[in-house]
Amino acid sequence: MLMRAVLFAGIAAVLATQVPSLLAVATRQPGNTISPNFVSTEDDPPDASAPIANGGTMRLQADAQGHYTGNFRINGKPVQGLIDTGATYVALNESLARRLGYSGNQLDFRYAVNTANGQTKAAHVTLDRVEIGGIRVRSVEAFVLKDEALSGTLVGMSFLRKLASYSVADGSLSLKQ
């Protein structure tokens, strides 16, 4: 229980320190109708008047703690995940990795990674696909941590970077493929 509380506090601290810097990345230009919270991986800002198909967008409401969680499908399996912009990669625990089909032979815990609970060992994997709503992203890098080091699933920048954009406004996170 204490481990979970410390992990949650660490995640909250990372989110509190990283989200404001991500929101300040975009600058508002004259005549631009895009929110200043807009973050894009495209070279040109999207046409704000263009229609957005529901199949390629997803909006998540913040929970009471200000976190964005969603029902993902990873390699076709349902997974509850927390979007963590402070995490470089998607992070899953060993039990989930095994449920997703990664065997002991594929999980080589040789990488030292830093977490909110300190340093631990992790195995690098590439997820075939990560989906939420109508968004589907292929070949997403992830790290698998031992169950005692991570109780849930963190959806980090290795997923978000593959989107066309994501933005935070009015208590919701919008994802666009």
Side-chain angles (χ1 to χ4, degrees), residues 75 102 123-129 138-144 162:
N75 292 357
Y102 295 96
H124 182 266
V125 297
T126 300
L127 304 170
D128 179 50
R129 66 189 182 282
R138 294 205 168 272
S139 299
V140 177
E141 289 186 86
F143 276 99
V144 177
K162 292 192 171 214

Side-chain angles (χ1 to χ4, degrees), residues 8-93:
F8 180 77
I11 291 169
V14 168
L15 287 173
T17 60
Q18 298 302 314
V19 170
S21 65
L22 286 174
L23 296 178
V25 169
T27 58
R28 190 173 208 134
Q29 298 175 3
N32 190 351
T33 59
I34 298 172
S35 163
N37 296 341
F38 185 83
V39 179
S40 177
T41 58
E42 297 174 336
D43 290 335
D44 298 319
D47 180 5
S49 63
I52 299 172
N54 288 338
T57 64
M58 182 70 188
R59 183 178 300 251
L60 299 172
Q61 290 299 122
D63 64 15
Q65 292 81 32
H67 299 139
Y68 299 101
T69 59
N71 297 315
F72 290 82
R73 290 186 73 76
I74 299 179
N75 292 357
K77 306 272 192 215
V79 174
Q80 180 72 23
L82 169 74
I83 294 186
D84 184 356
T85 58
T88 306
Y89 297 96
V90 171
L92 0 143
N93 63 28

Side-chain angles (χ1 to χ4, degrees), residues 129-150:
R129 66 189 182 282
V130 177
E131 303 168 81
I132 184 166
I135 295 173
R136 176 183 282 182
V137 176
R138 294 205 168 272
S139 299
V140 177
E141 289 186 86
F143 276 99
V144 177
L145 284 72
K146 295 286 187 178
D147 289 343
E148 53 274 4
L150 182 66

